[in-house]
Amino acid sequence: MSATTGPYLVNRMPDGFGEVIPLQAGQRFTLGRANTNRIVLKDELCSREHAEVFFAVGHWRLRDLESLNGTRLNGTGLEGERELLSGDEFQVGKTQFLFVKTLEELPQVPPRAAESEGVAIKKRLGQTRFLTPQPEEMAPETPLPGSGHHSLSRDLSLLYRLALDMGSAGSEDELTRTVLDGLLEAVPAEAGAILTLLEERNLEILAQRHRDPSEHEYAPLPDGVVKEVLDVKEAILAEDTARDRYLRHDEPATKAGATSLICAPVLFGGNVLNLIHLYCIDPLKSLNVEDLEFTVAVAKQLGGVIHQLRRHENLSAQNQSLREQLKVESELVGRSPAIRKIEEQIGLVAGTNATVLIRGESGSGKELVARAIHYSSPRRDAPFICLNCAALSETLLESELFGHEKGAFTGATDKKIGKFEAADSGTIFLDEIGEMAPGTQSKLLRVLEGHPYERVGGHVPIRVNVRVVAATNQPLEKNLQEGTFRRDLFFRLQVVEIRVPPLRERLSDVAMLADHFLKRFASDTGRKIRGFTASAMRKLENHVWPGNVRELRNVIERAVALGRGSSIDAGDIWLTTVEVDSDRHAESVFKPIPLDDLERRHIEKTLEHVNWNKTQAATLLKIERSTLDRKIRVYGLKKTE
């Protein structure tokens, strides 16, 4: 340390000295926890305004400000105020200070651990004036003592610009490079690095830079400095003890070592996230206290930005994980030809904006097909909105679809955004479309044709960009004949039609579906179930499944919840006694019936359907009337009275 005009307050550390505070006559140096103090102490035993050092009647004096824990001077409790003499020590909370008139009066201290490696620690710093309110007496343009090339206005400008650059960084890698570039612009270090902590306090370089592009060799931090910074969690300014030898004998410093260095911890929530390392290798250059101040200010900003960036990355990863989970649940399970055909249709139609009508029995997986269309389309990142048209009355359905204004009807106490608005840029799935009332069908048709619509009770036209996927388990052709479904809406919905077969028509998928549901429910409940016994699987594959995939899902969930063994056995599987339609059952279960017998039964059922009107029967069978008469004689068919 070079001698300058005094006096000074020097922070007394257990193994040496810390911050040096020059005292100036005419200024009050208050000490305490509050940021309004001239000397801010992060010490829980200090009061907000604990004590003050001031110049009066030709002497520097110490006064206790009625602190809770008191102030001790030379080991004795201080009452009121006392004159300070050179060499006096006083304690505020856990913090000790030494009053000296010149720095040469500082007593010698034993070498620190870091000095055994040839490095002398000159300064520790946990706080920085850049993040602490400054006294009014200090103008922003005025350099502080020992500031060298620094001025507060310049440094604040650099900090502000660097903060903007840090905020725009898209990744931690980009962030560390940005910070390192900003530091080397502000301080005279020749090289620097930002390091991260690994196990057992090992370090890994995240980013490094040298002012000389031809210089790539990095001078690592001494272990003693790393230990000191991690233990105390304060920044350190240190110098090589051989520096004077280089200056006296004009010997070049080795490229492997640093003549002057700064190491600052990047903290958040009391945890060390990274380390900032800046150093000089030229003995004619050195880093000073103001460089340390600036580095600490950057480190404190960097800690918050890294935390937010990692939090954002974690949330993005969780979001992506949830999307992947949703995508898995939306995938069709099975390898049957029917499932492969559906997947092929989805692949062809997903990239278009065509309206899709999905047809199939209840529980067969129509919504899964709709989800697969959405998540395979360019709209995958936009909303996917579902609405069951059979679950609501006509008025409520229209309100749900298109929204309503406040006071539009009884109970409309607030404005409501409809499902179409909520699904803008995405997909809306209208389940049980055959149950929609004619009035709502008309309004839906206009939306499908690209016309704007209005909320219920509103007058403002609304346009949306929504893909419509509809589903039904009803024979819409019959609804057309009965006049309960609009013909023009039917053809507008049926741009692309996908038929989902019932489970009894793809029994080869039962084993894969059962295993899929078993893994899901076993994971949810924490049960250790390996699989199905052979008898259990035969029982599942021989069932007709009137409730389709939904029924199979419920059966497996019940078996997992109530099963007691390590495998699902036949006794754990409870199946419904509900029968499916006999015609459908006949289609799904193979019976070795002769072709003539099958033709006879079909002709007989057709004649019964038209009440033995042979002309209509021949038309339905697409054969001549004479051919029908001949087959009736051959098969011996007679009208049942």
Side-chain angles (χ1 to χ4, degrees):
M1 300 180 185
S2 59
T4 60
T5 59
Y8 303 91
L9 288 181
V10 183
N11 187 198
R12 167 71 99 167
M13 308 293 288
D15 50 1
F17 299 105
E19 186 174 4
V20 177
I21 304 166
L23 301 178
Q24 299 179 21
Q27 297 182 5
R28 294 172 64 249
F29 289 81
T30 57
L31 303 90
R33 288 187 294 107
N35 287 336
T36 52
N37 289 289
R38 185 99 178 182
I39 303 173
V40 180
L41 303 176
K42 300 301 181 182
D43 185 339
E44 66 273 13
L45 295 183
C46 286
S47 299
R48 291 183 58 80
E49 291 186 351
H50 196 107
E52 67 174 339
V53 176
F54 61 97
F55 188 79
V57 197
H59 300 283
W60 283 95
R61 306 181 70 82
L62 173 67
R63 176 189 296 155
D64 182 78
L65 299 177
E66 299 182 356
S67 62
L68 180 63
N69 295 313
T71 302
R72 301 182 67 83
L73 177 61
N74 297 324
T76 305
L78 175 65
E79 295 183 2
E81 62 182 59
R82 285 278 303 277
E83 178 184 342
L84 288 173
L85 302 177
S86 185
D88 281 347
E89 292 191 25
F90 66 91
Q91 183 172 342
V92 177
K94 295 185 296 184
T95 309
Q96 293 183 329
F97 288 95
L98 180 66
F99 175 80
V100 294
K101 293 184 177 180
T102 65
L103 296 181
E104 285 76 7
E105 295 176 355
L106 289 175
Q108 295 295 319
V109 295
R112 295 184 47 78
E115 291 181 355
S116 64
E117 303 176 68
V119 177
I121 295 176
K122 299 298 183 182
K123 172 80 173 178
R124 293 183 196 82
L125 191 63
Q127 299 297 321
T128 170
R129 63 189 174 94
F130 294 108
L131 304 179
T132 303
Q134 296 297 307
E136 294 181 359
E137 297 92 331
M138 187 174 296
E141 300 81 9
T142 306
L144 293 181
S147 63
H149 59 280
H150 287 267
S151 72
L152 187 59
S153 60
R154 169 193 175 274
D155 287 350
L156 287 175
S157 175
L158 289 173
L159 280 173
Y160 175 72
R161 179 156 54 86
L162 184 55
L164 293 179
D165 293 340
M166 290 164 65
S168 62
S171 65
E172 195 167 339
D173 182 59
E174 180 184 354
L175 175 64
T176 52
R177 291 198 306 269
T178 298
V179 169
L180 198 53
D181 289 344
L183 283 168
L184 292 181
E185 178 184 354
V187 303
E190 295 172 272
I194 296 181
L195 310 105
T196 188
L197 287 172
L198 304 177
E199 294 182 359
E200 300 181 354
R201 293 190 168 184
N202 292 321
L203 299 175
E204 181 182 19
I205 298 174
L206 295 179
Q208 63 173 309
R209 184 187 161 195
H210 200 288
R211 291 187 186 276
D212 183 356
S214 64
E215 178 62 58
H216 300 290
E217 186 175 355
Y218 169 66
L221 274 165
D223 292 339
V225 172
V226 174
K227 182 179 184 303
E228 183 75 19
V229 172
L230 295 181
D231 288 344
V232 183
K233 296 183 180 180
E234 290 185 344
I236 280 178
L237 170 65
E239 291 182 353
D240 187 348
T241 55
R243 184 167 183 266
D244 291 340
R245 178 170 61 83
Y246 296 140
L247 293 174
R248 287 195 305 269
H249 301 287
D250 197 26
E251 296 179 13
T254 171
K255 289 188 176 182
T259 59
S260 176
L261 70 87
I262 286 174
C263 181
V266 179
L267 299 166
F268 187 86
N271 297 318
V272 179
L273 304 181
N274 297 103
L275 293 178
I276 294 176
H277 178 206
L278 304 173
Y279 62 91
C280 295
I281 58 175
D282 186 345
L284 298 176
K285 294 182 180 179
S286 66
L287 302 172
N288 61 24
V289 174
E290 289 303 306
D291 299 323
L292 183 64
E293 284 260 10
F294 187 87
T295 305
V296 170
V298 173
K300 288 186 177 294
Q301 290 187 62
L302 180 58
V305 176
I306 287 178
H307 172 75
Q308 292 299 328
L309 191 60
R310 290 178 180 176
R311 182 172 180 269
H312 176 74
E313 290 175 351
N314 288 338
L315 290 174
S316 297
Q318 292 175 19
N319 190 359
Q320 184 62 31
S321 176
L322 290 174
R323 285 187 178 275
E324 289 299 323
Q325 291 178 26
L326 182 60
K327 183 177 181 181
V328 168
E329 292 183 359
S330 297
E331 288 178 349
L332 297 170
V333 177
R335 295 196 183 99
S336 64
I339 291 298
R340 290 179 179 176
K341 180 179 179 182
I342 291 174
E343 290 175 340
E344 181 182 354
Q345 290 176 304
I346 291 172
L348 293 172
V349 76
T352 72
N353 289 318
T355 305
V356 180
L357 178 63
I358 305 172
R359 307 183 75 166
E361 294 180 12
S362 179
S364 58
K366 298 187 293 296
E367 183 175 339
L368 299 185
V369 174
R371 287 185 181 275
I373 292 172
H374 173 73
Y375 287 107
S376 301
S377 74
R379 299 173 181 263
R380 65 178 65 91
D381 293 324
F384 177 79
I385 304 296
C386 300
L387 182 63
N388 190 327
C389 301
L392 301 169
S393 64
E394 179 178 0
T395 302
L396 289 178
L397 177 59
E398 187 172 350
S399 173
E400 283 292 319
L401 282 172
F402 308 112
H404 62 250
E405 299 291 345
K406 181 178 180 180
F409 51 83
T410 303
T413 57
D414 294 294
K415 182 175 75 172
K416 177 181 176 63
I417 299 298
K419 299 296 186 185
F420 267 99
E421 284 183 81
D424 193 21
S425 300
T427 304
I428 186 168
F429 174 57
L430 302 178
D431 199 7
E432 304 297 347
I433 190 73
E435 301 287 345
M436 184 177 287
T440 310
Q441 292 178 31
S442 177
K443 197 166 185 178
L444 173 62
L445 178 62
R446 285 187 55 80
V447 175
L448 291 177
E449 291 176 344
H451 297 288
Y453 67 89
E454 300 171 353
R455 298 191 190 101
V456 177
H459 304 286
V460 178
I462 300 171
R463 289 184 180 273
V464 290
N465 174 20
V466 175
R467 180 183 197 164
V468 175
V469 178
T472 183
N473 61 1
Q474 294 189 5
L476 291 183
E477 292 81 0
K478 183 179 179 181
N479 293 2
L480 293 177
Q481 295 176 0
E482 295 174 352
T484 58
F485 201 84
R486 292 179 62 103
R487 183 176 298 272
D488 46 4
L489 178 59
F490 171 75
F491 290 116
R492 188 64 183 81
L493 291 172
Q494 202 186 26
V495 176
V496 176
E497 181 175 296
I498 297 178
R499 291 184 177 269
V500 183
L503 185 55
R504 61 182 171 274
E505 293 183 9
R506 53 185 185 101
L507 291 176
S508 60
D509 291 332
V510 168
M512 184 178 294
L513 284 164
D515 185 63
H516 170 76
F517 291 131
L518 174 62
K519 289 178 180 177
R520 178 192 296 181
F521 295 127
S523 175
D524 291 344
T525 59
R527 300 288 302 276
K528 302 296 184 183
I529 301 177
R530 293 194 298 267
F532 298 89
T533 64
S535 59
M537 188 55 67
R538 282 196 301 271
K539 189 173 182 179
L540 291 173
E541 291 179 335
N542 291 333
H543 187 54
V544 183
W545 300 111
N548 293 298
V549 180
R550 183 184 292 122
E551 181 189 0
L552 175 60
R553 178 187 184 278
N554 294 340
V555 166
I556 303 303
E557 184 176 12
R558 184 186 304 112
V560 171
L562 302 180
R564 298 181 180 180
S566 59
S567 298
I568 300 295
D569 200 1
D572 299 321
I573 296 174
W574 184 87
L575 299 176
T576 182
T577 57
V578 176
E579 295 291 338
V580 296
D581 182 84
S582 59
D583 290 339
R584 291 178 176 176
H585 185 71
E587 293 173 2
S588 63
V589 180
F590 173 76
K591 292 182 180 179
I593 302 174
L595 187 58
D596 288 345
D597 191 18
L598 187 63
E599 184 181 58
R600 180 189 63 78
R601 290 169 56 181
H602 182 61
I603 292 174
E604 185 178 29
K605 285 185 174 295
T606 304
L607 288 167
E608 289 175 355
H609 177 70
V610 297
N611 197 23
W612 274 76
N613 185 319
K614 295 181 181 180
T615 302
Q616 291 185 15
T619 302
L620 290 175
L621 294 169
K622 295 185 178 180
I623 59 176
E624 296 292 332
R625 167 68 184 272
S626 59
T627 303
L628 176 60
D629 288 335
R630 179 172 55 81
K631 288 184 180 292
I632 290 174
R633 290 194 301 272
V634 170
Y635 293 134
L637 301 178
K638 294 181 180 180
K639 183 177 181 181
T640 304
E641 298 296 335

